[in-house]
Amino acid sequence: MAGRLRAVARGDRAALGDVYRLTSAKLFGVILRILSDRDEAEDVLQEVYLTVWNKADRFDEGRASPITWLVAIARNRAIDRLRSLGPRRAGERPAEEAEAVADGGPGPLIALEESDEARRLLACLETVEARARGAIVAAFYEGRTYEDLARAGGLPLGTMKSLIRRALLRLRGCLEA
């Protein structure tokens, strides 16, 4: 996949088609979990691949795997859209209903567990306090927003952000060691 992203960076449209075919279902699931609206999720998915087309040259496989990079773009775009939509409108379905979205591939945690890089990350995750570890997994692999995590944990938003930031710094230190 990294090779296909490098080809996209060189302007190869067929490579972008390959990346889309390989990742769109998973990215759509991440986006839909955050937005709970198919139309909005489809729009955001389009924005994600436009971003990939424009910024593929910024992908650094030394920092992240291709799917991690793509999921981060999708998650960030979906959260940006969620913020721009404002408070939930009446009649919207809860994000939990996104669990029913079919995805034939392995979930992100299963895919992560299958790589050497993942084994290192999982070992480092074990060094992080359980509450922070759960928040990181929920935010980055389940697509939950910091606001949602703060509400669910009964914490102020700033406290949740600090908790996750400290844990991410600890993870970075562990991974760089």
Side-chain angles (χ1 to χ4, degrees):
M1 173 91 75
R4 300 315 295 153
L5 284 174
R6 285 190 296 274
V8 171
R10 293 188 303 269
D12 184 338
R13 291 176 187 265
L16 181 63
D18 292 342
V19 171
Y20 179 86
R21 211 170 21 268
L22 292 168
T23 62
S24 61
K26 180 150 313 284
L27 297 185
F28 184 73
V30 168
I31 295 165
L32 187 59
R33 282 187 184 112
I34 295 169
L35 295 175
S36 303
D37 180 297
R38 285 189 87 74
D39 292 335
E40 291 290 340
E42 288 169 1
D43 287 347
V44 170
L45 185 65
Q46 216 172 4
E47 290 175 20
V48 167
Y49 287 101
L50 183 60
T51 301
V52 170
W53 177 255
N54 290 321
K55 297 185 179 186
D57 61 325
R58 296 185 187 160
F59 169 68
D60 178 2
E61 60 187 304
R63 295 187 69 185
S65 69
I67 194 65
T68 301
W69 185 69
L70 292 165
V71 166
I73 292 170
R75 182 180 175 279
N76 290 338
R77 290 280 181 224
I79 290 171
D80 289 346
R81 177 65 60 93
L82 187 63
R83 287 180 181 142
S84 73
L85 292 173
R88 285 197 168 273
R89 296 179 302 257
E92 285 189 354
R93 294 173 294 156
E96 291 76 26
E97 289 183 20
E99 294 294 325
V101 174
D103 181 359
L109 285 177
I110 292 169
L112 188 65
E113 289 171 356
E114 294 173 355
S115 73
D116 289 333
E117 178 182 295
R119 281 186 269 287
R120 240 179 105 215
L121 177 59
L122 289 173
C124 287
L125 270 171
E126 290 300 317
T127 69
V128 174
E129 185 251 330
R131 182 171 63 168
R133 180 175 51 245
I136 288 172
V137 169
F140 293 94
Y141 293 100
E142 297 173 11
R144 294 188 52 197
T145 65
Y146 289 171
E147 292 86 358
D148 181 38
L149 292 171
R151 221 178 2 262
L155 298 172
L157 177 59
T159 302
M160 180 55 71
K161 286 180 178 180
S162 294
L163 178 82
I164 291 173
R165 177 159 172 65
R166 283 191 307 272
L168 289 174
L169 289 172
R170 182 175 179 108
L171 276 178
R172 180 195 296 170
C174 178
L175 290 170
E176 289 175 350

